[in-house]
C-alpha cells in the first residue's frame, strides 16, 4: 500500500454515527470516549441492554454499532439476529462485537460482524477497527450509489 493509499484509508471522508451497547456503564462510557476522540465519529447516547439497543438502532439508524455480547434480556448476538429478520443487510448498521470472551468470535463473524474486540483493548486497536469500519462504510455507500444510478438508467431506458 502506498502512503497515499494508507492516508486515504485512515482519513475520514464522512462523519460516522456510532452506538455503543453495553450493560456495564464504565465499559460503555470508556469505549464512547475513545470513539469520540477519533476524527469523524459522532457517538450517540449508549444503550444499557439489548432491548434498548434494538430500539435505539431502529430510531437512530447508526452507521456502526458496538455490541457487548453478554447483556441481560437480549444478548448482542440476538440483537443482530432480530434486526436481520426485520431488514435486508444493506439497511443494517455495521456491527462490531465487544466482549471479554474470544469464544463467541465464530458466531459473531457468522452474523456478518465487521470486527470482534476482546476486552481489554487499546486505543490503537479501536483506531484499527474504525479504519476497517470506514473502508466498509465507503464500499457500502459506493454500492448504494451504483445501484441508484443503475435504477435511474433502467427507468430512463424503459
Amino acid at each position: 500500500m502506498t502512503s497515499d493509499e494508507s492516508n486515504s484509508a485512515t482519513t475520514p471522508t464522512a462523519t460516522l454515527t456510532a452506538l455503543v451497547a453495553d450493560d456495564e456503564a464504565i465499559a460503555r462510557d470508556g469505549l464512547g470516549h475513545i470513539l469520540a476522540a477519533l476524527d469523524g465519529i459522532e457517538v450517540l447516547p449508549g444503550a444499557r441492554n439489548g432491548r434498548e439497543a434494538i430500539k435505539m438502532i431502529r430510531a437512530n439508524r447508526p452507521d456502526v454499532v458496538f455490541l457487548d455480547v453478554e447483556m441481560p434480556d437480549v444478548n448482542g448476538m440476538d440483537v443482530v439476529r432480530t434486526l436481520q429478520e426485520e431488514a435486508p443487510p444493506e439497511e443494517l448498521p455495521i456491527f462490531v462485537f465487544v466482549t471479554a470472551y474470544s469464544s463467541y468470535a465464530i458466531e459473531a463473524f457468522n452474523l456478518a460482524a465487521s470486527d470482534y474486540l476482546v476486552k481489554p483493548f487499546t486505543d490503537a486497536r479501536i483506531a484499527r477497527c474504525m479504519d476497517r469500519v470506514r473502508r466498509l462504510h465507503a464500499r457500502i455507500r459506493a454500492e448504494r450509489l451504483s445501484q441508484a444510478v443503475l435504477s435511474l438508467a433502467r427507468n430512463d431506458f424503459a
Side-chain angles (χ1 to χ4, degrees):
M1 187 182 317
T2 68
S3 62
D4 289 341
E5 288 172 322
S6 175
N7 288 340
S8 68
T10 58
T11 302
T13 56
T15 298
L16 299 178
T17 54
L19 172 69
V20 179
D22 197 309
D23 58 314
E24 297 177 17
I26 197 163
R28 186 176 59 248
D29 295 343
L31 180 53
H33 288 314
I34 294 169
L35 291 169
L38 298 173
D39 289 334
I41 307 292
E42 176 190 347
V43 180
L44 302 171
R48 297 171 294 179
N49 57 55
R51 290 187 203 286
E52 197 172 279
I54 292 168
K55 183 178 178 182
M56 294 176 81
I57 292 165
R58 287 174 180 155
N60 298 308
R61 301 181 53 88
D63 296 306
V64 59
V65 177
F66 290 82
L67 279 169
D68 185 20
V69 174
E70 292 189 349
M71 292 186 287
D73 67 25
V74 178
N75 70 40
M77 302 291 179
D78 288 336
V79 167
V80 175
R81 284 187 196 97
T82 297
L83 295 167
Q84 286 176 336
E85 289 173 3
E86 297 175 359
E90 62 272 8
E91 293 180 16
L92 295 175
I94 296 167
F95 293 106
V96 175
F97 285 97
V98 182
T99 183
Y101 309 99
S102 60
S103 59
Y104 296 106
I106 292 172
E107 185 178 0
F109 286 112
N110 284 337
L111 289 172
S114 73
D115 210 335
Y116 189 88
L117 302 173
V118 179
K119 299 173 187 177
F121 41 77
T122 63
D123 293 10
R125 177 65 178 95
I126 298 298
R128 284 194 314 274
C129 171
M130 285 309 302
D131 284 344
R132 178 179 293 153
V133 166
R134 285 184 180 107
R135 286 191 302 272
L136 181 56
H137 186 261
R139 194 167 39 241
I140 291 167
R141 287 181 54 196
E143 288 174 14
R144 286 179 184 160
L145 181 59
S146 294
Q147 291 301 319
V149 169
L150 280 172
S151 179
L152 288 171
R154 286 184 189 123
N155 288 338
D156 285 346
F157 288 115

